[in-house]
Amino acid sequence: MSDDQQRKGRGTVFVKEEVCKGCSYCIDFCPTHALEFAREFNAKGYHYPVLGRPDDCTGCDNCGLYCPDFAIYGARWKDIDEKKKAK
Amino acid sequence: MSDDQQRKGRGTVFVKEEVCKGCSYCIDFCPTHALEFAREFNAKGYHYPVLGRPDDCTGCDNCGLYCPDFAIYGARWKDIDEKKKAK
Amino acid sequence: MAKTEIRVGGLGGQGVILCGSIIGKAAAIHGGKHATLIQAFGPEARGSACSAQVTVSDDVIGYPYVKNPDILVLMSQDAFNQFIPQLKPGGMVLYEAELVKPDGKLPEGVRAMGVPATRFAEELGRRLVLNIVMVGFFAGVTGLLPFEAVEKAVLDSVPRGTEELNLKALKKGYDFGREQAV
Amino acid sequence: MAKTEIRVGGLGGQGVILCGSIIGKAAAIHGGKHATLIQAFGPEARGSACSAQVTVSDDVIGYPYVKNPDILVLMSQDAFNQFIPQLKPGGMVLYEAELVKPDGKLPEGVRAMGVPATRFAEELGRRLVLNIVMVGFFAGVTGLLPFEAVEKAVLDSVPRGTEELNLKALKKGYDFGREQAV
Amino acid sequence: MHADPKGVLTGVHFIDGDHAACEGALAAGCRFVAGYPITPSTEIVERFAHRIPKVGGVFIQMEDELAASIAIQGAVWGGQKVMNVTSGPGLSLMMEHLGYAFITETPCVWIDVQRCGPSTGMPTGPAQHDMMQVKWGSHGDFQIIALCPNSPQECFDFTIRAFNMAETWRVPVFLMMDEVVGHMTERVDIPEASEIEVVERKWTKKKPGEYKVYETTPEDPVPEMVKAGDGYRIHVTGLTHNEKGYPDMTVPNQERMLGRLIGKITQNAHKLVDVREDGVEGADVVVVSYGITSRVAMAAVEQARAKGAKVGSARLVIAWPFPAERMKEIARTAKVFVVPEMNMGQMVQEVERAVAGAAKVVSVPHAGGSVHEVDTILNAIMEAAR
Amino acid sequence: MHADPKGVLTGVHFIDGDHAACEGALAAGCRFVAGYPITPSTEIVERFAHRIPKVGGVFIQMEDELAASIAIQGAVWGGQKVMNVTSGPGLSLMMEHLGYAFITETPCVWIDVQRCGPSTGMPTGPAQHDMMQVKWGSHGDFQIIALCPNSPQECFDFTIRAFNMAETWRVPVFLMMDEVVGHMTERVDIPEASEIEVVERKWTKKKPGEYKVYETTPEDPVPEMVKAGDGYRIHVTGLTHNEKGYPDMTVPNQERMLGRLIGKITQNAHKLVDVREDGVEGADVVVVSYGITSRVAMAAVEQARAKGAKVGSARLVIAWPFPAERMKEIARTAKVFVVPEMNMGQMVQEVERAVAGAAKVVSVPHAGGSVHEVDTILNAIMEAAR
Amino acid sequence: MSLLMDQSAEELECGMDNPVLPFLRKDRIPHIWCPGCGIGTTVNSFCRALGDSGMDLDKIAIVSGIGCTGRTAGYLNLDSFHTTHGRAIPFATGLKLANPDLKVVVYSGDGDLTAIGGNHFMHAARRNMDIMVVCINNFTYGMTGGQVAPTTPLGPTQTTMPFGNFESSFNLPFLADACGAVYVARWTVYHVRQLAKAMKEGLQKKGFVFIEAMAPCPTLYSRRNRLGDGVDQVKYFKERSTIKNGVDTKDVGLTYQGDIVVGKFVDRDRPTWMDSMNDHFGKVLGDKYETYGAHHG
Amino acid sequence: MSLLMDQSAEELECGMDNPVLPFLRKDRIPHIWCPGCGIGTTVNSFCRALGDSGMDLDKIAIVSGIGCTGRTAGYLNLDSFHTTHGRAIPFATGLKLANPDLKVVVYSGDGDLTAIGGNHFMHAARRNMDIMVVCINNFTYGMTGGQVAPTTPLGPTQTTMPFGNFESSFNLPFLADACGAVYVARWTVYHVRQLAKAMKEGLQKKGFVFIEAMAPCPTLYSRRNRLGDGVDQVKYFKERSTIKNGVDTKDVGLTYQGDIVVGKFVDRDRPTWMDSMNDHFGKVLGDKYETYGAHHG
Ligand SMILES: Cc1ncc(C[n+]2csc(CCOP(=O)(O)OP(=O)(O)O)c2C)c(N)n1
Ligand SMILES: Cc1ncc(C[n+]2csc(CCOP(=O)(O)OP(=O)(O)O)c2C)c(N)n1
Ligand code: SF4
Ligand code: SF4
Ligand code: SF4
Ligand code: SF4
Ligand code: SF4
Ligand code: SF4
Ligand SMILES: [Mg+2]
Ligand SMILES: [Mg+2]
């Protein structure tokens, strides 16, 4: 993800797969429909979201605002890079 | 009171002197100001109302409506006579 | 181990409790004695009978109730009727002379003295101080407490601005009491 | 005084309790035995682990808890991990073959049998009847209760209108169980 | 009187204690419940809400337990049989109304499905630690009756019994369940209505002029009842009152009234107590237990016997009034009482008081959240038997 | 620590017990009261409302007792010393919050000016019949401390003591007054602030990272405290919790938590009990009493002595924890315990339990509404002395 | 036993008797209320309403909480219940639902109904429980000696507001309206006839009826604030009241000795809780459902 | 101890972390709420509000009652109090008055705040107690398994309304308004940004603030009534909501799956209880009076 080649959209998401309960809020309320369910289950038996269409992700963090489980958030590459630099 | 000579106004009042607490509601809200306090106290130490101006009593029972202690009521001679007859 | 038991009785609004309280306070705070005051309202607090039980003693007071008072201070006929039977043989009754009529209902050997406290109070300009007149009368007749102690107790107990009036009432009752006591 | 202790485990929403309840009901009402069912939710009822303890006995049941089950009926990996250590030596494990992977974690001497209950249920058109498949599987493998008793218990327990589907699920599990049991 | 068939779900059921208690209430004639949900008692009112429209009656969910516990009392004076269903925290909110039910002699059944406290504690865990609360939790002196079922069948049976006792004695009667008994499923046999004995309210036969709402006779300390709307123009108050129900706040009347109210139970305790004994005669050790713990204790008793100990079991079917006399008698032969409870030691204090030093008393406390391990009780027995 | 002079009304006063208790609270540092009026306790909060603006603090009259009894607890966690003032019916409404204060270890003083119940009863009459309620009235197991003053001076002194105990032990501490003590006026000496010993809240010295809200050491079962707003980001819950204050609803944790909470009192009972004895050595009869009844009892004891009886008096200054050990000791020499109480027999049950048959125990009950006649107690003593 | 309220010789002679007596428990009078306490006058009006309504008194029950007003239940010659502080409404709810034949009236004080009893008040109004609630608003806790109430306006001194009340008060008609009451009126002790009429209407109305009756408490409110005696307070009611029927309840808030709006503010219809239940079960369960309370009245 | 919420390798690499984490007790997550439960989303919004407000988190305390929502206190990294059922508001009152430095937020369920806690709600609003109340309205009693609540609209089935609810529900914003709240808003879980903004405004507002947040309870409300999962309920919120700021609260009542009015309905000023006290005592007692809480913040 940090690899520049992989940078397709304007942003990306970070998912805590094991915390996700598969409610699909993030998927349904992503303005660009960039997310989809993973085919895998997590340990609790839930499907978690993956960035199926990374091109479409704007890093707007709408997914993060909706997630009731704090299991996902989005960020813009711009901001990620800044953070990285600041480290 | 039942004596015709004494019949001055259009009505009269009945007072349970020992129940009265001397609040003066009856006296103050008698439309014709027919009532006044007795000079005597009752056993509890209250002045009770007496029909000071019997001429003015209409038997309207306003005093009765106001009395918080159910110690007084007014009646019209007409009604009193009817009751008496009915007895 | 001198102990004097007092019952003050009257109607709500007459200042019965304050009367008892001043006697107690005079004894306990300014008179070097022990005193206990018990207030008794009827089950229905207001408008009806009201009384105070005061025990004044040289010693610590255990049982706080007054069953058979040595002295009665009475401000209503109801109170008179109620409390006279409890009076100790040879006890003393102090009463408001206009509100209470002993009418031969006194047990034998009892000393009874009336004071026109309401009239005195009215003369002083406020009916309300009738209880202070009674306190003065009590102090004067019984001599149980030094006048100064009672005076201080009154000053502690009455609303600011009314001190003078109340002291006058006290004095009036006290003087009347001294006369009677003689 | 034969007594069989069973633990059914899985996740909330899988019908774990109903599964235990049908076994118990089949025993207690239609099977002429005594049965006690204890439901255990976690302290937080919803969404998490869920299990039932069923005791089936020829005699009156005193202590109602199942500490060391003779039989485990398991519908989730979490339940498998949690309950396997409690199993009686030589006990039996019945599990949903797609949700539970025993992966060599079985104690020695234990008989373990899987059933693709979810798949069966989906084939029948409703994933929800997976618990009834498990009941059938249990009945088929263990032979603890007459099939008719279990059948009646299922009919008593499922919502009206779903009887047929549930009986099919039961049969499916039962038959699969009979085969395995042989 | 027999039960009204309308409320009786005759047949064989595999249901839990909560549901069974609800069926017991319906069979006993309960036709009004004002509830407020609380784990682990909620299933009782949920079932009631579901069943009542077809039985003829009312369920209403109130805004809180304060409302629930007084609404049922209003309903009693409106003529219905009622129950009050809750668990610890809810019960704590009902304490004022427990006293009101007692002083007004409002017959009602209170079901407490005990959960693990104190405070919010472990809401889904069992306990038996409201035993003292129901006896002492309201201000002032009062008395109650408390039954302790240990199975769904008993939840059914004892609920009927509780209703009958409430009508007979006109004190609050408690069904002391716990989370395990409430949520444990077993076979419950519900007989025909004609086989269920139901005590009817003690309606007066007197006419309005003759009747006094709290009049009693020397033979019978329980007054007769009427309901509002029947022309008796009764007055009911939580104040100290006289036979007419009017406030009479004097010390002698307080003594008279409270003496009768308390005496209803204390003087009739011998009629009320119910101890189920097993091998108590000749036992060195007697295990005293109640509710679900009695089933755990019995398992321990059997294991102890297998090890050769002389152990008896005395199960308190009725915890209040406490069978002090019977305990005293047992203490003449038994050497040790072992008292396991899912609390830090409550009824054991009554055992201690009753035996008054005549035998040793050993408490086997449990902080709650689960039943005892059989071994814990067994060890206490074996220790005591040494 | 000495009292803050601001709250101390140094001097000699002729005031009643209610007012004296309020002065005690102010002297002890109480700066927040959320009240709800109820006879005969109202004067305490009325005085508090009048005094507090000039002392620096807050009085708020809440909408009901439920609110009052939890608002004070919020105020504790906001950093104030608080008290909760009520009488029987109000106390019954506070039972849930009694458990909450216990499980959360919220230090607070509860004043119960006992009136005559049960229910509304005789609101202006005295009684001592909430003694068991404060011990058992909330659901679940818990512990409290209860002091019983018998004079206005003691209302002042014991209130300070109650505050100090609340801070020391972090359990609810009750001042068990009654209508007579509350409304009786006597001389009350209020010393200089510098002469009043006040226990400060046990503030932690740890830093946020190091501190756990319910951490204790084997030597000291009482955790240190912080207040909200100080950066510790504490969590407090009525659920079964661990040292961090987080819910931890497992049986072992319940055992650990409840064991410590109950143990704070039961294991330190010897430090807490306070029995004032008079002539107990060598006495045949010992009168056990508390609160106002101890003064009536003492009059009876003196009269009995005058008649030649060998009578001692043991006054329970602290009723809870109950001085069981001391009673057992006394029972070695005394033949009869006489226990007068303004209730139908409450603390007498503890006496019975403690002496365990070693002496006779005689209850002298009273339905309430007035104190005992001296003769009633005297007769019981003389009867016992025969 | 001869009672103070027994007919006097005069009365006997002409067969007269106080018209309110049939509605009172004669043997309990004189009542405990203070001289000039307005509660008695409201009870007087209620007696008139009982008479005027022509309803069967055997079918009217009265429920009170605790307080000076709460003692009302003990004086009325009806089935009467003096319950616990604040809980008259839920008791009445149980009573009514258990015996739908009854008209159930709750008669209690402002503190009882809107302080400790506030929750029941609002929920009963929401449910449109078929009870009539009469609230005697004397702006204080009478029984306990004059503490501040949720109705005490800004200004006056009360024992727990010893320097004058600084806490905002409720506008009770607005509250009742917002919670869903179907009939809302306010009158004062000066308006004895209107009050009686409102009570009569209330008795005849189905659903949650709320009537606020402003009354003097001379002992603890008026005198303490140097407003004179009961009669002076009633004179104030007389002088400063304006009748505004149908006015928006939002606009009828009270201030200390300020203007008073009285009148019938709300009179509307919506199904009661029990009617809703019966309708609903009838619809859902069909013929199997037997209307509850149908065998009654 | 490694927590599920610890930074992943990826996150570590670029120094990223979930922006809500500073506001949460990481070691208590995952929380107990069901999949798709809306409470979590409201907490998410609240975290944003905390951040956006720029306020010192050490000076914000949160108080909850009992219920699913009531567990919120245990997840937020603030001084947090999980009290008893219905009593969060009076606890908060004591907390605030004892330490006026604090901003005190009450975060609880509809049943907790408006059924058993209704009385405290209305009195705190009347007093204008300086607390912010967030009510998560899921139209049901979640924690106890889905009983009818005073917010349940007519129609849906709940365990204690097994044939569908026939009891009228409250319009909460209207109630809060009628009782005197100074800030009243309603948003849904769909309106995450507006909700966060309202919460931020609420944190910064003085006085009694009431925010209703409509949230799905898929487990006990939606699924039981065949309304689908949490996400379906949020979609319904999206589709049927209209924003009407400043609209009369009388007109924002809810019906079963009907139209929803959201927005900021009330935003006004009146002195808080404590300010009234200080003003009043200052006036009456003069210089002798030392303003309470003045040494604070
Ligand atoms: C649970 C409880 N709390 C408090 C009291 C004390 N109490 C009795 S009446 C009353 C208030 C009465 O005020 P209100 O309802 O306005 O009636 P009023 O006396 O003014 O008619 C209070 C607080 C009580 N009896 N019970
Ligand atoms: C005194 C008391 N009564 C009842 C309960 C049971 N109880 C716990 S939470 C709850 C209702 C929860 O509903 P709500 O406040 O809407 O919160 P939600 O779970 O829906 O978020 C109830 C009745 C309790 N804990 N305490
Ligand atoms: S950050 Fe925005 S665009 Fe990217 S997945 Fe999340 S919601 Fe969709
Ligand atoms: S919103 Fe959160 S919990 Fe729901 S699916 Fe997305 S990541 Fe999982
Ligand atoms: S009856 Fe009428 S006129 Fe006669 S005294 Fe009474 S009020 Fe006055
Ligand atoms: S109104 Fe009644 S109580 Fe008042 S003075 Fe007249 S008769 Fe007496
Ligand atoms: S105190 Fe006030 S309300 Fe109570 S009876 Fe007296 S005047 Fe009436
Ligand atoms: S039961 Fe409902 S409110 Fe509770 S956590 Fe589950 S979805 Fe949320
Ligand atoms: Mg009032
Ligand atoms: Mg909810």
Side-chain angles (χ1 to χ4, degrees), chain D residues 17-37:
Chain D
I17 306 296
L18 187 62
C19 172
S21 168
I22 290 171
I23 295 171
K25 193 185 274 187
I29 301 197
H30 306 289
K33 301 189 182 230
H34 293 270
T36 299
L37 165 78

Side-chain angles (χ1 to χ4, degrees), chain G residues 169-188:
Chain G
S169 59
F170 276 134
N171 169 352
L172 296 182
F174 185 33
L175 191 65
D177 184 6
C179 294
V182 292
Y183 183 103
V184 180
R186 173 195 286 150
W187 297 102
T188 80

Side-chain angles (χ1 to χ4, degrees), chain D residues 28 36-37 61-62 65 67, chain E residues 14 180 185-187 295 371 373:
Chain D
T36 299
L37 165 78
I61 295 163
Y65 281 91
K67 290 275 149 186
Chain E
F14 192 66
V180 178
T185 304
E186 288 186 332
R187 175 181 167 133
R295 288 174 66 162
V371 298
E373 296 296 325

Side-chain angles (χ1 to χ4, degrees), chain E residues 4-28:
Chain E
D4 174 359
K6 227 179 187 176
V8 181
L9 207 67
T10 304
V12 178
H13 306 270
F14 192 66
I15 51 178
D16 71 15
D18 278 354
H19 290 259
C22 176
E23 289 304 330
L26 287 166

